[in-house]
């Protein structure tokens, strides 16, 4: 038995687990049950509740005692007695069953529609009669007041077979090309058929005339819905006298009120698969719709999802046991699934022990569906080389990642890093050895990582220990050290936490950190002196010292900034010299190659100057390139020599630049007011902005 929870709704899969082969002897079956734990824990609610290959459809009789299922291969029908919890009988058929129905309250009257156009009738003892319809049938419905069977299929006609007279009646002529499904309202006996064009035609059996038509294909395509092809009707079911549910081949379910041509609600499965079955749960106003992948349970009025069931195999049909929370599914698998949902209703009378069993399981922790799955993100898939599996059945999308089988994950991870287990094993052995060494006599030594920091912390710890030793009894002890704190133990073991003292960040933050440490030691010293009740001498001026110390780290940071800037400038100069040296070597190589070419008789190459271009000497080009690579200080000196810029020392800043601005020539396009306004702006810019900004820019 498997337990899952979707939207806090417990779902019990009673048919989950291993099944024993039929050809095993009873002795071997008992031996397997004693050895295998999974076989011991399985719940076999109904004995042999399975088909040889595939189950196509399943139904429950109106009295609730018999469960009938049709399947293959070979084509057969099986009847299970719920009072005996075992198989009652099995009948093999000549061809596969497309649809079947139970005409009586028990199994005594059955009708089968075969894939070869035959309609077969069975009574309690077995086969009773067989006839044939003109076209291939897909579905049929039984009209109880007139004893008529309505067959729909690959034809525009709806064939009628009267069971009282034993003959075919005049067929109903429709406008559709083909029909897929049909149903009869149990209250007012309205007959409805779903067509391949996505329409539903409603007929009154009393007058044999069409009373209405619904265009479900047009109504199913709402805003945000993406469909591929024309949505044809694939499922149809009435509920009460006015409600009708229509399922389409593109995965939408439409709820109609027969008094309106517009749907009350459109529910999308978002799988793009045809709806196979529609059922109603009147007690909680729920609708159960199923495609080949999932069974969705949602509210009839709001469309809010109540829960969902995802079997491991494709679904062919779904049947709800009346008045309970149990449902059966016909799958593309030999085993027919049995699900029990206590939130939908109690267990049936013939298996009332399930209520006690589920109550006991709720008290103990249960496993969820995702226990055997691993959640991975797209980055994890790229690292494992499984990006090509996105969109396949091996990955199930969930939130920002995917669920994949844990066995597949371990297998791929082992292939990606085959020595991961060996490394893990060596680390565990090393940890065990280190734990055993703790019991020996400990020698105070520095760790392998961050030795300088550990030494500094040890010295501070010794100072704190000396101060705390001088304290009186009853006072607060020394503060705990980082070395003895387990939270910071990884910092002295993992090489990734190594402090790089030559980095710019450390050199800029180190004065601040050292200053904090000095304050901490000073505070401890003051506390120790206060505990010894020693009076502070007059004229000590402790506040002045603290204020000086607070400002001392600023000078250290400035000094470190200056050193970093000089080191960077020297590094850039070295790179520039190396680049120039490489360029010189390249020029020498080109000269040697040119000389060798002249010796070999090669002609020199000539270059033509195009129109509009001005020839400049090679010295000007080299000087321009050198000027572009020069620093700001060298550029200012060159411009000062040429007379463009005037640089002078001032008392406020280190340097001051003065630019000479040209006067604005008179232009008749500007008025006097505009001229005066522009002149005021330029004078303000020259007097205020330039003296304030340029000194800081040059200093930096």
């Amino acid at each position: 038995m498997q337990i899952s929870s979707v939207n806090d709704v417990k779902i019990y899969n009673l048919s989950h687990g291993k099944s024993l082969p039929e050809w095993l002897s009873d002795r071997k079956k008992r031996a397997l049950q004693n050895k295998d734990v999974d076989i011991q824990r399985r719940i076999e609610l109904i004995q042999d509740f399975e088909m040889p290959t595939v189950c196509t459809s399943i139904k429950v009789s109106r009295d609730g005692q018999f469960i009938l299922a049709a399947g293959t291969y070979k084509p057969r029908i099986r009847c299970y007695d719920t009072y005996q919890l075992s198989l009652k009988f099995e009948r093999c058929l000549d061809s596969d069953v497309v649809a079947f129905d139970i005409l009586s309250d028990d199994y005594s009257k059955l009708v089968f529609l075969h894939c070869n156009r035959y309609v077969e009738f069975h009574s309690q003892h077995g086969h009773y009669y067989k006839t044939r319809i003109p076209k291939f049938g897909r579905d049929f419905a039984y009209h109880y007041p007139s004893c008529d069977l309505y067959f729909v299929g690959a034809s525009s006609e709806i064939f009628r077979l009267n069971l009282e007279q034993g003959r075919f009646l005049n067929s109903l002529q429709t406008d559709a090309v083909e029909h897929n499904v049909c149903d009869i309202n149990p209250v007012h006996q309205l007959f409805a058929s779903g067509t391949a064009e996505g329409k539903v035609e409603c007929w009154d059996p009393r007058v044999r005339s069409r009373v209405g038509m619904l265009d479900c294909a047009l109504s199913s395509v709402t805003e945000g819905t993406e469909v591929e092809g024309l949505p044809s009707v694939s499922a149809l079911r009435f509920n009460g006298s006015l409600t009708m549910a229509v399922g389409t081949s593109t995965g939408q379910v439409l709820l109609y009120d027969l008094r309106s041509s517009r749907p009350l609600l459109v529910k999308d499965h978002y799988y793009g698969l045809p709806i196979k079955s529609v059922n109603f749960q009147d007690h909680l106003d729920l609708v159960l719709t199923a495609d080949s992948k999932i069974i969705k349970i949602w509210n009839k009025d709001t469309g809010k999802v109540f829960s969902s069931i995802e079997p491991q195999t494709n679904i062919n049909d779904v049947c709800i046991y009346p008045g309970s929370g149990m449902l059966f599914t016909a799958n593309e698998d030999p085993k027919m699934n049995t699900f029990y949902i206590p939130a939908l209703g109690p267990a049936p009378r013939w298996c009332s022990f399930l209520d006690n069993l589920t109550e006991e399981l709720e008290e103990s922790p249960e496993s969820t569906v995702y226990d055997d799955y691993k959640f991975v993100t797209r980055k994890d898939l790229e690292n494992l080389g499984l990006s090509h599996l996105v969109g396949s059945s091996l990955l199930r999308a969930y939130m920002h990642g995917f669920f994949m089988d844990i066995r597949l994950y371990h297998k791929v991870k082992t292939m990606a890093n085959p020595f991961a287990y060996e490394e893990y094993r060596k680390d565990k052995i090393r940890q065990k050895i280190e734990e055993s060494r703790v019991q020996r006599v400990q020698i105070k030594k520095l760790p392998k990582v961050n030795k300088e920091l550990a030494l500094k912390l040890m010295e501070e710890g010794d100072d704190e220990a000396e101060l705390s030793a001088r304290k009186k009894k009853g006072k607060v002890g020394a503060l705990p050290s980082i070395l003895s704190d387990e939270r910071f133990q990884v910092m002295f073991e993992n090489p990734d936490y190594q402090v790089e003292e030559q980095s710019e960040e450390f050199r800029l933050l180190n004065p601040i950190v050292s200053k904090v440490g000095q304050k901490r030691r000073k505070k401890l010293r003051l506390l120790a002196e206060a505990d010894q009740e020693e009076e502070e001498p007059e004229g000590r001026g402790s506040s002045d010292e603290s204020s000086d110390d607070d400002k001392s780290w600023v000078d250290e940071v400035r000094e470190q900034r200056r050193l970093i800037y000089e080191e960077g400038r020297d590094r850039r100069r070295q790179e520039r010299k190396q680049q120039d040296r490489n360029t010189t070597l390249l020029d020498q190589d080109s000269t040697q190659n040119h000389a060798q070419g002249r010796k070999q008789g090669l002609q020199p190459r000539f270059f033509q100057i195009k129109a509009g271009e001005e020839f400049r000497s090679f010295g000007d080009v080299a000087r321009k390139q050198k000027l572009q690579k020069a620093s700001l200080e060298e550029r200012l000196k060159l411009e000062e020599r040429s007379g463009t810029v005037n640089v002078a020392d001032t008392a406020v800043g280190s340097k001051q630049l003065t630019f000479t601005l040209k006067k604005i020539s008179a232009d008749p396009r500007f008025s006097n007011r505009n001229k005066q306004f522009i002149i005021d702006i330029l004078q303000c810019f020259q007097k205020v902005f330039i003296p304030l900004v340029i000194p800081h820019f040059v200093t930096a």
Side-chain angles (χ1 to χ4, degrees):
M1 182 174 62
Q2 184 186 39
I3 307 172
S4 60
S5 178
V6 180
N7 288 346
D8 296 333
V9 177
K10 295 291 182 63
I11 300 172
Y12 298 88
N13 187 358
L14 304 178
S15 57
H16 180 78
K18 298 180 180 180
S19 58
L20 297 177
E22 297 180 358
W23 44 266
L24 287 179
S25 62
D26 294 338
R27 179 179 296 178
K28 290 185 178 180
K29 288 182 180 180
R30 288 193 298 268
L32 285 176
Q33 290 178 356
N34 294 331
K35 294 179 181 179
D36 199 332
V37 180
D38 294 336
I39 297 177
Q40 293 176 2
R41 293 180 179 178
R42 69 173 182 157
I43 298 177
E44 193 174 8
L45 193 62
I46 301 176
Q47 187 178 3
D48 298 331
F49 195 63
E50 58 186 11
M51 282 287 172
T53 306
V54 172
C55 181
T56 56
S57 56
I58 185 170
K59 292 183 183 295
V60 179
S61 61
R62 286 196 293 271
D63 59 2
Q65 183 179 354
F66 302 99
I67 302 173
L68 287 96
T72 191
Y73 177 81
K74 298 178 179 181
R76 68 190 66 203
I77 180 75
R78 285 186 173 182
C79 179
Y80 298 91
D81 192 347
T82 57
Y83 292 173
Q84 302 297 328
L85 298 178
S86 61
L87 178 66
K88 186 173 182 63
F89 66 85
E90 178 184 12
R91 298 174 186 172
C92 290
L93 306 172
D94 296 334
S95 58
D96 291 333
V97 177
V98 177
F100 78 96
D101 198 1
I102 307 172
L103 303 184
S104 60
D105 292 339
D106 55 2
Y107 68 93
S108 59
K109 294 180 181 180
L110 304 175
V111 182
F112 299 97
L113 176 61
H114 293 274
C115 62
N116 57 357
R117 295 192 293 154
Y118 276 100
V119 179
E120 191 171 349
F121 298 90
H122 282 228
S123 61
Q124 189 171 4
H125 66 272
H127 178 267
Y128 180 77
Y129 183 74
K130 181 189 291 187
T131 186
R132 201 172 190 182
I133 58 177
K135 300 290 183 179
F136 290 97
R138 296 174 181 172
D139 196 9
F140 70 93
Y142 180 63
H143 186 241
Y144 283 92
S146 62
C147 296
D148 290 342
L149 279 173
Y150 290 82
F151 295 94
V152 298
S155 174
S156 60
E157 299 181 10
I158 299 175
F159 306 106
R160 295 192 301 155
L161 176 61
N162 188 270
L163 301 184
E164 184 181 5
Q165 303 177 18
R167 66 186 180 90
F168 281 96
L169 303 178
N170 293 332
S171 60
L172 304 178
Q173 187 64 38
T174 65
D175 298 336
V177 179
E178 294 179 351
H179 296 265
N180 294 330
V181 290
C182 64
D183 193 20
I184 294 179
N185 194 296
V187 179
H188 47 69
Q189 306 301 318
L190 180 67
F191 174 77
S193 65
T195 67
E197 292 83 5
K199 296 181 181 180
V200 174
E201 296 186 3
C202 298
W203 297 76
D204 189 353
R206 298 172 298 180
V207 295
R208 298 187 303 278
S209 62
R210 189 174 63 192
V211 295
M213 180 183 292
L214 295 173
D215 191 353
C216 300
L218 183 61
S219 301
S220 64
V221 181
T222 59
E223 184 179 357
T225 304
E226 297 181 1
V227 295
E228 295 181 359
L230 180 64
S232 60
V233 179
S234 60
L236 183 64
R237 180 61 62 92
F238 282 102
N239 181 39
S241 59
L242 298 176
T243 306
M244 180 180 66
V246 180
T248 64
S249 60
T250 54
Q252 290 83 30
V253 181
L254 297 87
L255 282 182
Y256 281 95
D257 191 310
L258 295 180
R259 297 168 293 184
S260 175
S261 60
R262 294 184 177 181
L264 301 175
L265 183 66
V266 178
K267 183 69 176 178
D268 197 344
H269 272 218
Y270 296 107
Y271 282 101
L273 302 174
I275 302 298
K276 296 259 182 112
S277 172
V278 178
N279 295 278
F280 289 90
Q281 213 275 350
D282 298 330
H283 180 63
L284 298 176
D285 292 334
L286 298 176
V287 183
L288 287 83
T289 57
D291 55 20
S292 60
K293 190 175 184 64
I294 190 173
I295 303 173
K296 287 195 174 184
I297 308 173
W298 44 279
N299 189 274
K300 183 173 63 175
D301 299 326
T302 61
K304 184 179 179 181
V305 176
F306 179 77
S307 184
S308 62
I309 304 173
E310 295 186 50
Q312 296 180 354
T313 55
N314 292 339
I315 304 170
N316 290 327
D317 192 14
V318 177
C319 176
I320 301 178
Y321 193 89
S324 69
M326 181 174 290
L327 56 93
F328 307 100
T329 61
N331 314 303
E332 291 287 330
D333 191 68
K335 187 180 294 185
M336 293 177 285
N337 289 335
T338 304
F339 296 96
Y340 175 52
I341 307 175
L344 295 182
R349 183 179 179 182
W350 48 272
C351 57
S352 58
F353 60 89
L354 288 177
D355 291 330
N356 299 331
L357 182 62
T358 54
E359 289 178 1
E360 293 177 0
L361 291 175
E362 288 180 358
E363 296 177 357
S364 59
E366 69 282 349
S367 60
T368 60
V369 180
Y370 303 108
D371 282 349
D372 296 332
Y373 287 83
K374 172 70 175 178
F375 181 79
V376 292
T377 60
R378 286 187 179 271
K379 188 175 181 180
D380 297 337
L381 291 176
E382 292 176 0
N383 296 334
L384 296 175
L386 300 178
S387 301
H388 61 283
L389 295 181
V390 176
S392 64
S393 58
L394 298 176
L395 296 178
R396 179 163 295 178
Y398 183 76
M399 296 180 67
H400 63 283
F402 305 90
F403 274 108
M404 66 182 301
D405 196 302
I406 191 67
R407 294 171 296 179
L408 176 62
Y409 175 78
H410 288 315
K411 187 175 181 180
V412 174
K413 194 170 182 181
T414 304
M415 295 174 63
N417 189 6
F419 302 103
Y421 177 75
E422 294 295 332
E423 296 176 359
Y424 172 78
R425 182 171 173 272
K426 290 180 180 179
D427 292 339
K428 283 295 182 181
I429 293 174
R430 191 181 300 108
Q431 291 179 7
K432 291 292 185 181
I433 294 174
E434 294 295 335
E435 290 177 0
S436 62
R437 288 176 178 175
V438 175
Q439 302 175 359
R440 304 177 185 177
V441 179
Q442 296 293 323
I443 301 175
K444 192 173 182 180
K445 61 179 181 179
L446 296 176
K448 297 180 180 179
V449 183
N450 291 327
K451 294 183 179 180
E452 294 79 3
L453 179 60
L455 180 60
K456 181 179 179 181
L457 293 174
M458 287 180 181
E459 293 177 355
E460 293 180 357
D462 295 340
D463 297 339
E464 292 173 4
E466 293 178 0
L467 293 174
S468 60
R470 284 183 257 172
K471 290 184 179 181
K472 294 182 179 180
K473 295 182 179 181
K475 299 294 182 180
V476 181
L479 296 176
S481 176
I482 296 178
L483 292 172
S484 59
D485 197 338
E486 296 181 355
R487 297 174 297 176
F488 303 95
Q489 188 176 1
V490 185
M491 189 171 62
F492 301 99
E493 297 176 354
N494 194 346
D496 296 336
Y497 292 91
Q498 177 66 40
V499 178
E500 298 180 0
E501 297 184 358
Q502 301 300 326
S503 62
E504 296 183 5
E505 293 80 2
F506 181 82
R507 294 175 62 181
L508 294 177
L509 293 175
N510 188 35
I512 304 175
V513 176
S514 61
K515 188 61 184 177
V516 171
Q518 293 176 4
K519 284 186 177 181
R520 184 163 174 255
R521 289 193 296 271
K522 184 180 294 185
K523 186 176 181 180
L524 291 172
R525 191 179 299 107
L526 292 175
L527 289 174
E529 293 176 359
D531 292 337
Q532 293 177 2
E533 295 180 357
E534 295 181 358
E535 296 182 356
E536 183 180 359
E538 296 182 359
R540 180 176 179 178
S542 59
S543 60
D544 298 338
E545 292 180 1
S546 62
S547 62
D548 294 339
D549 293 338
D550 292 339
K551 295 181 180 179
S552 61
W553 66 270
V554 179
D555 299 334
E556 296 180 6
V557 172
R558 288 180 178 176
E559 182 66 20
Q560 291 295 333
R561 284 184 180 275
R562 187 184 64 80
L563 294 176
I564 292 172
Y565 174 75
E566 291 180 356
E567 291 176 0
R569 186 175 59 185
D570 296 339
R571 184 170 59 256
R572 288 192 297 271
R573 288 179 179 176
Q574 293 294 334
E575 292 176 356
R576 198 179 301 116
K577 290 180 180 179
Q578 185 66 26
Q579 185 177 2
D580 295 342
R581 188 180 298 108
N582 295 337
T583 305
T584 305
L585 293 175
L586 289 175
D587 293 341
Q588 293 177 359
D589 294 341
S590 62
T591 303
Q592 293 176 1
N593 294 334
H594 183 66
Q596 292 178 1
R598 293 183 63 182
K599 290 180 180 179
Q600 295 175 2
L602 298 177
Q603 297 295 331
R605 293 185 299 172
F606 296 93
F607 296 92
Q608 182 180 2
I609 300 176
K610 298 180 180 180
E613 295 184 356
E614 182 181 356
F615 175 74
R616 297 180 179 177
S617 63
F618 296 102
D620 295 338
V621 176
R623 192 179 302 105
K624 185 177 180 181
Q625 292 179 355
K626 185 177 180 181
L627 184 61
Q628 290 178 353
K629 296 179 180 180
S631 61
L632 179 61
E633 182 181 0
E634 296 175 354
R635 293 184 192 177
L636 292 175
K637 290 181 179 180
L638 293 175
E639 292 178 357
E640 184 180 359
R641 294 172 185 172
S642 61
T644 307
V645 182
N646 184 18
V647 184
D649 295 334
T650 60
V652 179
S654 61
K655 299 291 182 181
Q656 178 178 353
L657 297 179
T658 305
F659 294 88
T660 304
L661 301 178
K662 297 181 180 180
K663 295 182 179 180
I664 298 177
S665 61
D667 194 342
R669 292 179 297 176
F670 295 93
S671 61
N672 295 330
R673 183 178 301 176
N674 292 337
K675 292 179 181 178
Q676 187 62 33
F677 179 72
I678 294 173
I679 292 172
D680 294 340
I681 290 177
L682 293 176
Q683 291 178 356
C684 180
F685 181 83
Q686 182 178 3
K687 294 180 179 180
V688 178
F689 184 75
I690 293 177
L692 289 176
V693 176
I694 296 302
H696 298 282
F697 180 75
V698 174
T699 305

